[in-house]
Amino acid sequence: MSFNILSLYVTGSLDIVISSEHRREICRYIYNHQNVDGGWGLHVLGQSTMFVTCLNYTALRLLGEKLGGHNDVLNKGRAWILSHGSATVVPQWGKIFLSIIGAYHWSGNNPINPELWLVPHILPIHPGRFWCFGRLVYMSMAYLYGKKFVGPITPTILALREELYNMPYENIDWEKARDSCAKEDLHYPRSRLLDGVFFCLNKFVEPILNSWPANKLRERSLTKLMEHIHYNDETTEYIAICPVDKALNMICCWVENPNSDALKRHLPRVYDYLWIAEDGMTAKLMDGCQSWETAFIIQSFLSTDLIDEFGPTIAKAHEFMKNSQVLENLPNYESFYRHRSKGSWTLSTVDAGWSVSDCTVEALKALLLLSKISPDLVGHPIEEQRLYDGIDCLLSFMNKDGSFSAYECQRTSSWLEILNPCEIFHNVFVDHPSVECTSSVLDSLVLFKGLYPRYRSQEIGQCIRNAAMFIENKQWKDGSWYGTWGICFTYGTFFAVKGLVAAGRTFENSLSIRKACRFLLSHQQSTGGWGESHLSVENEGYIDSGTAHAVNTSWAMLALMHAGQFEMDPVPLYRAAKLLINMQLDTGEFPQQEHIGSASTDHIFNYANYRNLFPVWALGELRRLNANRS
């Protein structure tokens, strides 16, 4: 949320977009999630970091909260910042945002050269080869760095210059601060190679690029970056790919022209990211996940065999999924380093504009399953050609080894992560393939091949074989799979087993399936459920949370049922089902527990519908197996 507040403040739009009611709820959320030590973490369960503490403190001040007196939250937050080294040791992204508002000097930043966008695209360091999130965030940062833009210096900004540091602002050694990072934020220390690169850039390259005639190259690169920023805004209906990217793009548009139509179109789409709940108002990690969750909800409903009862609900979801398909490629998309999009689905809605491989395949799977049911119950099936468009788009996502990444093919080598300048976030340059995406593709392609055996049959068959081999090769020694987009080993194992079983692996013929079953059963708690801590993500090893989690339990149940556990010994499944039934609330919902989503090993977040859809899915599948047995 703090990114949006800083952006709106700089552009003079804070009072336009954020009402007094918004302010109250945003402050309440930040107050509610302050840690006991006075700081704030990357997520509500995380330990305090300088990055989030500085930005949350700054956001509260920009929203009008006053330091001193009875405001213990700000007093404690400031005390944490000063006792841990002050804002001089905030990591790179924090340095950039504080520089933009004028609370940190640009000379305290290592270069983010916009000229990098002018190097030949064939080189692995060209930003067009980066993972889309890193590419777009650093695109806007490079523009603002190249401009050395500083927002209006207001009395609040001058106060922040005093409050965030242990010494007078004018006495700070910015050159020393440039390479300083708080130990709480130093998750990924810079490599020696990157240190050498920054030394050369600061000592030789930057002085040249800021002098005539080389400064003409900077002007050219800034113009090119602004073209890309506008393209990203226009093709996402000014939502952008994430709130960080959106906040930076808004500032870039304001810098170019404070009265531009682009800025005016940005402002109403800030609301797409806002989320209010019992603990206050915050910003979502993305603008939503409607397509992703609806595809799963359809599959969970279908597992219950209660289609007659819930037909109208399923029909509405069916219509939404059909309307959410991207029907055309973006104009001139290759010139702006975008992947093809015709036939795909996004994470949220058509407006978002960014195709996602596993969102596409889960949507296809839901639609294929619905096509088997009477249209009188669930509505008319999607046109055959649109299914073919989806498959065409899907196959275009395939990496050379048969694996699948999320947003695009892997475009550059993994070694490039050695140049990651972001101390607090991992994997910012490479769209690494994941077991979950690959397994989702495998599962859906098998279903499609059974219904449409003649369409691109040879390519689909080869893709299925390669994907299954990739999944098997990614299995850990203990029988699990690491989950990239959920917590963590129960999530990865659920998808991996589902995909391998679709490809013909069984408990009898596959060592991977047998090892997966042993892994899951070995972590079943005495209550009958499963509960995995978010710490598994960072530690890269299964950590039991000590408490059963409805979603982890459901993932484990589904994986075991796919693997054939019910036929061998249903007792572990019955115990898990009993736990889920007892967890259900009087409203029919399941309780909101610890966050269950993750991304890039650093972000822990919540999927709002997971707590209901996956228990329904698991119980529905178990009910179906029981009925078949009877």
Side-chain angles (χ1 to χ4, degrees):
M1 190 69 218
S2 53
F3 300 121
N4 290 314
I5 299 303
L6 271 63
S7 176
L8 291 169
Y9 187 86
V10 165
T11 59
S13 310
L14 190 60
D15 293 334
I16 298 172
V17 177
I18 304 298
S19 67
S20 59
E21 290 80 10
H22 283 98
R23 288 175 190 255
R24 182 175 63 251
E25 292 301 318
I26 292 167
C27 291
R28 190 164 70 87
Y29 181 88
I30 296 174
Y31 288 163
N32 279 334
H33 293 292
Q34 186 177 35
N35 291 332
V36 175
D37 62 6
W40 286 269
L42 273 174
H43 51 86
V44 297
L45 302 169
Q47 296 180 342
S48 298
T49 64
M50 185 63 72
F51 177 53
V52 181
T53 303
C54 278
L55 292 186
N56 276 354
Y57 179 91
T58 300
L60 287 171
R61 294 288 283 115
L62 298 182
L63 287 168
E65 298 297 284
K66 303 296 184 184
L67 179 67
H70 298 292
N71 196 327
D72 196 43
V73 171
L74 281 176
N75 292 333
K76 288 171 63 180
R78 182 173 184 241
W80 191 96
I81 292 169
L82 297 181
S83 66
H84 288 78
S86 85
T88 55
V89 295
V90 72
Q92 186 199 41
W93 285 22
K95 286 175 164 64
I96 295 292
F97 271 95
L98 291 178
S99 298
I100 291 167
I101 67 169
Y104 185 98
H105 202 277
W106 275 109
S107 63
N109 290 275
N110 279 302
I112 306 175
N113 292 93
E115 292 80 11
L116 191 60
W117 286 81
L118 299 180
V119 305
H121 183 257
I122 194 172
L123 296 178
I125 61 169
H126 189 285
R129 296 185 174 278
F130 295 174
W131 183 38
C132 54
F133 283 90
R135 177 169 81 238
L136 294 174
V137 168
Y138 277 104
M139 177 196 300
S140 304
M141 286 182 175
Y143 180 83
L144 294 166
Y145 174 84
K147 287 281 188 180
K148 300 295 191 298
F149 168 76
V150 178
I153 304 302
T154 65
T156 304
I157 298 300
L158 291 174
L160 283 168
R161 288 182 175 184
E162 295 182 7
E163 295 165 17
L164 293 174
Y165 303 99
N166 287 316
M167 64 178 69
Y169 187 78
E170 58 273 12
N171 293 342
I172 294 172
D173 184 345
W174 295 110
E175 188 172 338
K176 180 181 177 182
R178 184 190 296 161
D179 298 312
S180 300
C181 181
K183 62 181 176 60
E184 292 80 7
D185 298 65
L186 195 60
H187 297 176
Y188 308 102
R190 289 192 334 224
S191 65
R192 290 185 179 180
L193 176 61
L194 185 58
D195 285 338
V197 170
F198 278 148
F199 175 80
C200 293
L201 290 175
N202 283 306
K203 190 75 173 176
F204 307 112
V205 178
E206 275 296 295
I208 294 172
L209 290 173
N210 283 288
S211 304
W212 188 89
N215 58 1
K216 298 297 181 182
L217 194 63
R218 174 144 295 182
E219 291 175 11
R220 181 183 163 201
S221 64
L222 292 174
T223 300
K224 182 179 180 69
L225 284 180
M226 212 55 222
E227 291 174 1
H228 282 265
I229 290 167
H230 284 311
Y231 184 87
N232 181 41
D233 286 342
E234 292 163 7
T235 55
T236 61
E237 297 294 335
Y238 293 84
I239 294 173
I241 197 170
C242 69
V244 184
D245 174 37
K246 177 170 178 60
L248 291 166
N249 283 7
M250 285 175 60
I251 298 170
C252 293
C253 291
W254 189 84
V255 172
E256 185 187 46
N257 180 1
N259 299 309
S260 67
D261 288 337
L263 179 63
K264 293 173 185 175
R265 294 183 67 181
H266 257 296
L267 296 181
R269 308 278 353 205
V270 170
Y271 301 119
D272 288 66
Y273 285 100
L274 302 187
W275 177 269
I276 189 165
E278 297 86 347
D279 52 351
M281 178 175 283
T282 186
K284 296 174 287 187
L285 189 65
M286 307 289 286
D287 65 303
C289 49
Q290 296 93 312
S291 291
W292 174 247
E293 289 191 332
T294 302
F296 281 143
I297 289 169
I298 289 170
Q299 293 177 62
S300 73
F301 267 95
L302 297 183
S303 75
T304 65
D305 287 335
L306 298 174
I307 300 167
D308 290 342
E309 185 175 345
F310 295 104
T313 298
I314 299 172
K316 289 179 182 178
H318 191 184
E319 197 64 25
F320 171 78
M321 293 308 299
K322 288 188 289 186
N323 292 336
S324 297
Q325 187 179 24
V326 179
L327 300 180
E328 296 294 339
N329 285 318
L330 297 172
N332 203 22
Y333 66 93
E334 291 177 326
S335 298
F336 291 91
Y337 314 116
R338 293 286 292 271
H339 196 81
R340 68 159 284 172
S341 53
K342 182 179 180 180
S344 69
W345 276 263
T346 69
L347 182 68
S348 55
T349 63
V350 174
D351 279 1
W354 279 91
S355 308
V356 188
S357 66
D358 52 353
C359 295
T360 298
V361 294
E362 293 297 345
L364 283 170
K365 183 178 179 183
L367 291 168
L368 289 169
L369 292 171
L370 288 168
S371 71
K372 297 179 176 183
I373 302 170
S374 169
D376 295 334
L377 287 173
V378 299
H380 293 286
I382 192 170
E383 293 90 339
E384 192 172 292
Q385 183 56 52
R386 288 175 60 182
L387 289 175
Y388 295 160
D389 290 341
I391 293 297
D392 291 344
C393 184
L394 179 61
L395 292 175
S396 73
F397 278 106
M398 184 168 58
N399 294 316
K400 293 179 180 179
D401 61 355
S403 65
F404 287 79
S405 307
Y407 281 81
E408 297 159 335
C409 298
Q410 182 174 333
R411 297 179 173 182
T412 192
S413 301
S414 297
W415 66 261
L416 197 67
E417 295 290 0
I418 200 172
L419 296 177
N420 177 11
C422 185
E423 306 94 336
I424 201 165
F425 295 131
H426 189 39
N427 294 339
V428 299
F429 286 150
V430 182
D431 195 354
H432 296 279
S434 73
V435 167
E436 306 102 284
C437 291
T438 306
S439 297
S440 283
V441 170
L442 176 52
D443 189 20
S444 296
L445 284 181
V446 170
L447 177 61
F448 176 83
K449 194 171 187 292
L451 294 172
Y452 299 92
R454 295 185 179 181
Y455 190 76
R456 299 186 69 171
S457 177
Q458 188 172 352
E459 294 164 85
I460 290 173
Q462 187 62 44
C463 179
I464 290 170
R465 289 189 291 274
N466 291 343
M469 190 180 304
F470 171 82
I471 295 166
E472 288 177 326
N473 290 337
K474 287 295 180 180
Q475 189 174 30
W476 290 39
K477 290 182 179 180
D478 65 358
S480 68
W481 283 268
Y482 183 86
T484 304
W485 301 100
I487 298 173
C488 172
F489 290 93
T490 42
Y491 184 74
T493 302
F494 159 57
F495 275 94
V497 169
K498 187 160 65 86
L500 289 177
V501 170
R505 304 321 194 254
T506 66
F507 189 91
E508 290 75 21
N509 68 19
S510 171
L511 177 60
S512 292
I513 297 295
R514 294 194 293 275
K515 288 173 64 179
C517 289
R518 285 197 294 271
F519 164 78
L520 290 170
L521 292 173
S522 71
H523 289 288
Q524 187 172 25
Q525 297 173 345
S526 59
T527 59
W530 283 261
E532 188 175 0
S533 169
H534 71 279
L535 297 173
S536 295
V537 178
E538 185 176 344
N539 292 337
E540 297 187 348
Y542 188 95
I543 297 178
D544 197 300
S545 65
T547 304
H549 195 296
V551 180
N552 284 135
T553 299
S554 302
W555 289 336
M557 286 178 66
L558 287 164
L560 288 168
M561 285 186 281
H562 281 294
Q565 180 66 38
F566 181 84
E567 290 75 15
M568 294 178 292
D569 179 12
V571 172
L573 297 169
Y574 290 152
R575 292 177 60 221
K578 182 179 180 180
L579 174 84
L580 285 181
I581 291 168
N582 289 334
M583 290 179 77
Q584 191 172 29
L585 307 176
D586 292 339
T587 58
E589 299 173 285
F590 288 84
Q592 177 61 63
Q593 297 173 277
E594 186 174 306
H595 287 1
I596 204 70
S598 69
S600 298
T601 74
D602 307 293
H603 302 287
I604 306 297
F605 55 92
N606 187 42
Y607 281 102
N609 287 300
Y610 275 21
R611 66 187 173 103
N612 292 316
L613 79 88
F614 279 109
V616 168
W617 195 344
L619 292 171
E621 289 293 346
L622 184 59
R623 177 176 178 267
R624 181 187 296 180
L625 289 172
N626 264 320
N628 291 341
R629 189 183 226 186
S630 300

